[in-house]
Amino acid sequence: DADHAMYCTKQQGRQGYTVFNHQLRINQADQLALESELRRALEVDDQLQPYFQPFIDANSGELVGFESLVRWQHPLRGLISPALFLPMAEESGLITRVDRYMINAACRQLRRWLDEARVSPDIALHINLSSANFHDPELVAWMRDIIDSYQLPAAILHLEITESALIDVPDIAATVMHALHDLGVKLALDDFGTGYSALSYLHRYRFDVLKIDQSFVFDVDRKEEAFAIVRAILALAQALGLDVVAEGVETAAQLARLQEMGCGKLQGYYFAAPAPADAIDWERLARFVQ
Ligand code: C2E
Ligand code: CA
Ligand code: CA
Ligand code: CA
């Protein structure tokens, strides 16, 4: 029954976290419990963790970046997927704290990698940012402090924003995005093509990177429509001088097709699933260099 939705967690998903039975709705009491547990998680040190998923240069096979993705290692419930707790975090207003926590954790890890010469200062670190952050007048100053305190080249940091994040707050978003650009931070438009006014966002805001949504990549090698859409996105990006990352690359056939089409950067299970920093297989990443 619904009371058990949060607890019937018998299967391990592809990414190692529990797959909840979507038939069951999470009831309100559970929602409230989860919310207070998230508040607690934000105060302790080891429950919210960045997992990192690499992107690869489609031509050279070189590692060119990582995306940080939040995971909640709950002491009792196990590893909880963002799909399960981010909606609650958005409703409760905790999302901006989650995002700041993640920016800090990902930047701290990046600092370590730079110190260990694990990664080049030319890579990109992509961090997801929800729309609620646009209402936070302190965000830009806070970002500047993070960049200063970890002594990071600002241009490594790429904030990923989805189209839907821009719907509610067009003017505030423009102001904040402009200020972030002034810091030297880059902006990526996530899930490109899935919102309903993708092109108007490109017109209205200055992005540096487009991320082609995985729904198009999924069929790129076997459906004419998906192929045509990806081709059009690549042409558009080229015309606008934007970098492109195709996400959700899972097969050699998708990889070959995207390479042929001249897509710059690739991300997906084919290369590596998201993993905690200490579980990244650096040797495997190095092997993609052709
Ligand atoms: P997203 O930003 O579009 O991230 C891509 C999702 O696809 C991730 O799911 C990733 O693990 C998954 N993925 C990666 N490669 C493949 C592949 O080859 N095939 C398939 N089918 N999936 C792949 P994840 O990690 O569960 O994250 C879900 C969403 O939660 C993200 O979608 C993002 O919108 C949001 N999110 C994650 N971390 C954060 C965060 O720190 N802050 C905010 N605001 N949102 C976050
Ligand atoms: Ca993303
Ligand atoms: Ca995406
Ligand atoms: Ca997505």
Side-chain angles (χ1 to χ4, degrees):
D1 72 336
D3 280 322
H4 291 105
M6 295 301 303
Y7 304 98
C8 2
T9 60
K10 301 305 170 209
Q11 258 182 312
Q12 286 291 95
R14 170 90 197 237
Q15 299 178 42
Y17 46 67
T18 313
V19 174
F20 293 89
N21 184 343
H22 290 293
Q23 242 71 1
L24 298 174
R25 296 221 351 261
I26 298 164
N27 72 18
Q28 229 172 0
D30 232 346
Q31 196 68 260
L32 282 175
L34 200 63
E35 185 183 320
S36 77
E37 288 159 12
L38 182 59
R39 284 179 196 282
R40 171 91 190 113
L42 285 161
E43 276 151 22
V44 296
D45 222 13
D46 50 357
Q47 289 193 28
L48 294 176
Q49 298 172 357
Y51 273 37
F52 294 95
Q53 186 180 34
F55 331 142
I56 302 299
D57 181 285
N59 295 310
S60 68
E62 264 177 302
L63 173 70
V64 285
F66 281 103
E67 177 175 2
S68 148
L69 294 153
V70 66
R71 297 291 180 270
W72 183 2
Q73 184 65 61
H74 190 286
L76 300 173
R77 302 177 196 250
L79 198 56
I80 306 181
S81 136
L84 204 91
F85 72 91
L86 288 183
M88 172 274 285
E90 305 229 342
E91 274 167 43
S92 61
L94 291 173
I95 187 68
T96 52
R97 292 180 58 197
V98 171
D99 283 346
R100 283 194 186 198
Y101 189 105
M102 288 295 293
I103 293 170
N104 184 50
C107 288
R108 185 170 55 211
Q109 185 57 54
L110 173 62
R111 183 68 260 161
R112 282 194 207 120
W113 283 333
L114 289 168
D115 290 343
E116 295 162 0
R118 262 298 180 201
V119 299
S120 139
D122 298 331
I123 68 152
L125 175 65
H126 284 227
I127 304 175
N128 293 285
L129 197 68
S130 72
S131 64
N133 294 285
F134 293 134
H135 294 292
D136 171 4
E138 303 291 313
L139 175 74
V140 175
W142 183 84
M143 276 301 293
R144 187 187 305 115
D145 286 347
I146 285 282
I147 291 165
D148 287 349
S149 61
Y150 291 112
Q151 304 254 308
L152 297 173
I156 290 192
L157 301 181
H158 287 60
L159 298 173
E160 293 197 0
I161 299 162
T162 58
E163 292 169 10
S164 54
L166 297 168
I167 294 174
D168 321 331
V169 288
D171 297 330
I172 304 172
T175 309
V176 174
M177 287 165 69
H178 198 87
L180 289 168
H181 261 147
D182 286 345
L183 289 182
V185 168
K186 306 284 183 187
L187 300 172
L189 184 52
D190 203 355
D191 300 351
F192 184 71
T194 59
Y196 53 46
S197 54
L199 295 177
S200 81
Y201 292 131
L202 286 184
H203 180 228
R204 181 158 193 168
Y205 305 102
R206 220 172 84 236
F207 282 97
D208 305 284
V209 181
L210 282 190
K211 294 195 77 178
I212 302 180
D213 191 66
Q214 51 193 53
S215 58
F216 305 122
V217 171
F218 188 74
D219 284 326
V220 70
D221 58 316
R222 39 182 188 182
K223 283 208 182 132
E224 196 52 45
E225 292 79 6
F227 173 75
I229 289 168
V230 171
R231 193 177 46 194
I233 294 174
L234 292 173
L236 182 66
Q238 194 180 27
L240 295 174
L242 304 174
D243 266 0
V244 177
V245 180
E247 60 182 19
V249 180
E250 295 184 355
T251 68
Q254 291 164 346
L255 163 65
R257 176 56 64 88
L258 291 163
Q259 276 177 321
E260 266 164 41
M261 297 174 82
C263 181
K265 292 170 189 168
L266 307 172
Q267 178 184 17
Y269 296 153
Y270 182 79
F271 303 102
D278 59 9
I280 291 171
D281 186 346
W282 297 98
E283 282 173 25
R284 179 176 155 78
L285 293 184
R287 278 203 302 277
F288 294 122
V289 179
Q290 292 145 352

